[in-house]
């Protein structure tokens, strides 16, 4: 991971950086900024983090990275919190992340205006906290979190495929979960070859529509099943003894926090064509409009319909343990197809930090992007990267427990703690003012929550350890 964090000042790009950042895409426009910037950009920044997008494109990227299938676990979080605490925690998660993502955007804009446009999270950390923080903390945890999201999405994709398979042919169970994970990996292998983050803008628009589609299905399905004669009696009491309830609360808070997780705000802002000022706020507004609509509708309707029996993924409640469906089969098939398709987009978005790192190490910025010198290493490195993620997902079908631990150590610091620290260190607001103390409180509270959530995740891993088997067909 050492190379993951090393970021030289060569990755800083002037805010007035012109057009595409490609030497071959100059089209006769020569100013003194572009000549210097093209020299300074490494292959990772030049080929993966192309600054060509508009604010609406960042809205698509942000929505795909935040509004993903893990939101279907929100009713499960509500089951450990109850109505009031559940809605309060969901609201706080939304308000704090919207606030912290805007802070990190303001810090990026400030440095761009000073002549240093940071294209990566670790570039920011290097400039603000120092090179060791970038090399040994921010760079590695960002890569682990993002790669963990790819593994988790591959596993979820396999589970969706298996559900579709069983709905289509409930008698035949010849194919196992790991077979479906490998098939999903084949799709991901193709999508992973899309060269740049900016190139994903059309896929991420479709992804935005898909997340609205399956969230609508989850909400409608919960209302339908919860209102039907087959509905079980609703129990909203908190299960378990005091210790289990307490750990359930911490686990639920971690679920909500990681559901809002992103971890790649600087990389998404890097896709914006300069000048960047004000564009990220518009993109975040698009994203959080979708967040409010989807998160609250799914969380509230799912908990209302199933109470404390709400499952880890709410659509699993639409079928019983024997495979009998409470909703029409076509409806379940359609919902799973929507989820499956969006998971492929989510996986590719979270592959971008890994792609950028691979490109920086194995490509040559002096050669054309589509030259054999760059295409062959890209094809090999990205194929191996996806193959490793899919192998881990197939081997460890209990990866959800591990991902909870990664989320506690990764998403919480990257999304809640570091943005407010970066803002305070960059703008140095008055210690007599409310901004400084609000940011300090956010940093302290979520650092404590991260530690508690990590303990809860480790406890869950220990409790589930007896059921762990490699390549299990869960």
């Amino acid at each position: 991971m050492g190379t993951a964090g090393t970021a030289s000042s060569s990755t800083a790009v002037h805010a007035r950086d012109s057009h595409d950042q490609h030497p071959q895409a100059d089209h006769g426009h020569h100013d003194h900024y572009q000549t210097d910037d093209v020299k300074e950009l490494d292959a990772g920044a030049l080929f993966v983090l192309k600054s060509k997008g508009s604010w609406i494109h960042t809205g698509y990227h942000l929505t795909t990275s935040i509004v993903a299938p893990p939101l279907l676990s929100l009713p499960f979080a509500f089951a450990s919190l109850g109505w009031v605490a559940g809605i309060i925690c969901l609201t706080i998660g939304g308000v704090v992340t919207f606030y912290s993502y805007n802070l990190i955007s303001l810090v990026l804009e400030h440095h761009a205006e000073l002549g240093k446009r940071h294209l990566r999270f670790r570039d920011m950390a290097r400039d603000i906290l120092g090179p060791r923080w970038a090399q040994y903390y921010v760079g590695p945890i960002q890569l682990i979190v993002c790669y963990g999201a790819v593994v988790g999405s591959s596993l979820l994709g396999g589970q969706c495929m298996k559900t579709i398979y069983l709905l289509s042919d409930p008698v035949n169970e010849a194919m196992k979960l790991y077979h479906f994970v490998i098939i999903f990996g084949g799709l991901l292998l193709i999508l992973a070859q899309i060269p740049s983050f900016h190139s994903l803008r059309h896929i991420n628009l479709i992804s935005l529509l898909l997340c609205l589609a399956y969230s609508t299905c989850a909400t409608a399905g919960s209302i339908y099943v919860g209102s039907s004669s087959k509905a079980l009696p609703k129990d909203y009491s908190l299960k378990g003894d005091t210790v289990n309830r307490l750990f359930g609360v911490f686990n639920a808070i971690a679920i909500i926090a990681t559901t809002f997780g992103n971890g790649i705000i600087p990389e998404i802002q890097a896709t914006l064509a300069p000048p960047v000022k004000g564009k990220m706020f518009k993109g975040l507004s698009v994203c959080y409009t979708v967040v409010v609509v989807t998160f609250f509708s799914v969380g509230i309707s799912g908990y209302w319909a199933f109470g404390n029996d709400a499952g880890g993924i709410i659509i699993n409640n639409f079928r019983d343990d024997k495979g009998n469906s409470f909703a029409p089969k076509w409806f379940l098939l359609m919902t799973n197809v929507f989820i499956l398709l969006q998971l492929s987009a989510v996986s590719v978005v979270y592959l971008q930090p890994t792609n950028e790192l691979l490109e920086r190490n194995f490509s040559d910025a002096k050669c054309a992007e589509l030259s054999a010198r760059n295409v062959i290493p890209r094809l090999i490195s990205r194929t191996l990267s996806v193959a490793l993620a899919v192998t881990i997902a197939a081997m460890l079908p209990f990866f959800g427990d591990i991902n909870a631990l990664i989320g506690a150590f990764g998403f919480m610091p990257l999304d809640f703690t570091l943005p407010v620290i970066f803002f305070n260190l960059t703008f140095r607001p008055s210690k007599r003012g409310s901004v400084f103390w609000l940011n300090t409180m956010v940093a302290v509270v979520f650092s404590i929550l991260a530690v508690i959530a990590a303990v809860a995740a480790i406890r869950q891993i220990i409790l589930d350890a007896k059921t762990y088997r490699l390549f299990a067909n869960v």
Side-chain angles (χ1 to χ4, degrees):
M1 280 292 176
T3 56
T6 51
S8 67
S9 59
S10 65
T11 57
V13 185
H14 197 284
R16 289 168 64 186
D17 167 26
S18 159
H19 299 298
D20 295 343
Q21 302 174 340
H22 273 290
Q24 67 268 32
D26 192 341
H27 302 303
H29 182 80
H30 296 281
D31 63 23
H32 65 284
Y33 296 109
Q34 188 171 16
T35 307
D36 293 342
D37 291 343
V38 169
K39 276 183 194 172
E40 291 181 1
L41 284 173
D42 58 54
L46 192 63
F47 300 146
V48 178
L49 303 176
K50 295 178 182 176
S51 302
K52 298 171 70 175
S54 66
W55 65 267
I56 194 69
H57 298 149
T58 63
Y60 304 156
H61 300 322
L62 287 162
T63 305
T64 300
S65 62
I66 297 173
V67 190
L71 74 88
L72 299 172
S73 62
L74 289 173
F76 177 72
F78 272 50
S80 296
L81 294 167
W83 276 118
V84 176
I87 291 171
I88 288 173
C89 286
L90 194 59
T91 305
I92 290 172
V95 170
V96 173
T97 50
F98 184 74
Y99 174 69
S100 64
Y101 294 156
N102 273 298
L103 289 191
I104 210 167
S105 175
L106 290 172
V107 173
L108 287 163
E109 286 180 9
H110 175 74
H111 285 284
E113 286 170 0
L114 293 177
K116 282 187 174 182
R117 186 175 177 193
H118 297 133
L119 300 180
R120 293 168 277 226
F121 219 128
R122 60 185 184 272
D123 296 348
M124 288 186 77
R126 182 183 183 86
D127 214 36
I128 298 169
L129 300 177
R132 290 196 175 186
W133 279 96
Q135 183 169 356
Y136 298 113
Y137 182 67
V138 175
I141 66 165
Q142 186 199 27
L143 279 169
I144 291 168
V145 163
C146 292
Y147 201 68
V150 176
V151 176
S153 297
S154 301
L155 179 57
L156 264 177
Q159 288 171 339
C160 272
M161 282 188 171
K162 183 185 172 188
T163 302
I164 293 166
Y165 170 72
L166 292 175
L167 282 168
S168 306
D169 190 1
V171 180
N172 186 1
E173 292 194 32
M175 291 185 71
K176 308 299 181 190
L177 175 62
Y178 63 87
H179 295 139
F180 294 107
V181 173
I182 292 166
I183 294 168
F184 181 84
L187 170 63
L188 184 54
L189 207 60
I190 297 166
L191 293 174
Q193 305 305 329
I194 295 173
S196 71
F197 206 154
H198 177 66
S199 306
L200 300 175
R201 62 195 181 283
H202 302 304
I203 289 174
N204 287 341
L205 168 59
I206 297 168
S207 167
L208 185 154
L209 299 174
L210 286 168
C211 71
L212 287 170
Y214 67 69
S215 297
T216 302
C217 290
T219 303
S222 294
I223 294 169
Y224 174 80
V225 175
S227 307
S228 72
S229 56
K230 299 175 185 176
L232 298 170
K234 299 175 182 65
D235 183 0
Y236 301 113
S237 63
L238 303 179
K239 286 182 177 178
D241 56 25
T242 306
V243 173
N244 283 326
R245 280 188 191 179
L246 188 62
F247 275 105
V249 167
F250 295 142
N251 190 42
I253 290 170
I255 288 170
I256 290 171
T258 52
T259 303
F260 282 104
N262 180 284
I264 50 174
I265 291 289
E267 284 79 2
I268 291 175
Q269 188 151 333
T271 65
L272 279 169
V276 297
K277 193 167 181 64
K279 293 179 182 176
M280 199 67 170
F281 178 78
K282 292 180 183 178
L284 281 163
S285 299
V286 170
C287 172
Y288 271 77
T289 301
V290 179
V291 164
V292 170
V293 170
T294 55
F295 282 36
F296 282 87
S297 62
V298 171
I300 291 169
S301 65
Y303 185 50
W304 169 81
F306 304 106
N308 58 22
D309 287 323
I313 298 287
I314 196 61
I315 59 168
N316 292 341
N317 281 91
F318 298 170
R319 303 172 73 210
D320 62 19
D321 294 337
K322 297 174 184 175
N324 300 315
S325 299
F326 301 130
K329 186 184 287 187
W330 64 264
F331 178 82
L332 295 176
L333 280 168
M334 179 177 69
T335 306
N336 276 281
V337 168
F338 289 154
I339 295 168
L340 176 66
L341 291 173
Q342 205 227 2
L343 279 167
S344 61
V346 173
S347 302
V348 182
V349 163
Y350 278 105
L351 266 177
Q352 296 310 305
T354 308
N355 289 348
E356 182 273 318
L357 180 71
L358 293 170
E359 209 91 338
R360 189 161 63 89
N361 286 317
F362 298 118
S363 294
D364 186 349
K366 295 184 181 72
C367 297
E369 181 184 5
L370 299 179
S371 65
R373 165 64 186 83
N374 287 328
V375 168
I376 293 168
R378 179 184 300 135
L379 187 65
I380 294 170
S381 61
R382 293 189 183 189
T383 299
L384 292 174
S385 167
V386 170
L388 178 61
V390 171
T391 303
I392 295 170
M395 282 178 62
L396 309 177
F398 44 84
F399 190 77
D401 285 1
I402 299 168
N403 232 2
L405 183 61
I406 293 172
F409 277 123
F411 277 129
M412 282 199 179
L414 290 174
D415 297 328
F416 293 90
T417 309
L418 284 175
V420 294
I421 291 172
F422 284 171
F423 185 88
N424 279 3
L425 290 175
T426 300
F427 293 103
R428 302 197 178 278
S430 169
K431 291 184 181 178
R432 294 180 182 178
S434 57
V435 172
F436 175 84
W437 291 108
L438 174 64
N439 290 351
T440 303
M441 184 182 73
V442 168
V444 170
V445 168
F446 282 95
S447 295
I448 293 167
L449 282 176
V451 173
I452 294 170
V455 171
I458 291 167
R459 176 178 178 268
Q460 195 61 47
I461 289 171
I462 293 167
L463 290 174
D464 292 345
K466 59 182 177 291
T467 62
Y468 289 168
R469 281 184 301 108
L470 294 180
F471 297 102
N473 185 36
V474 292

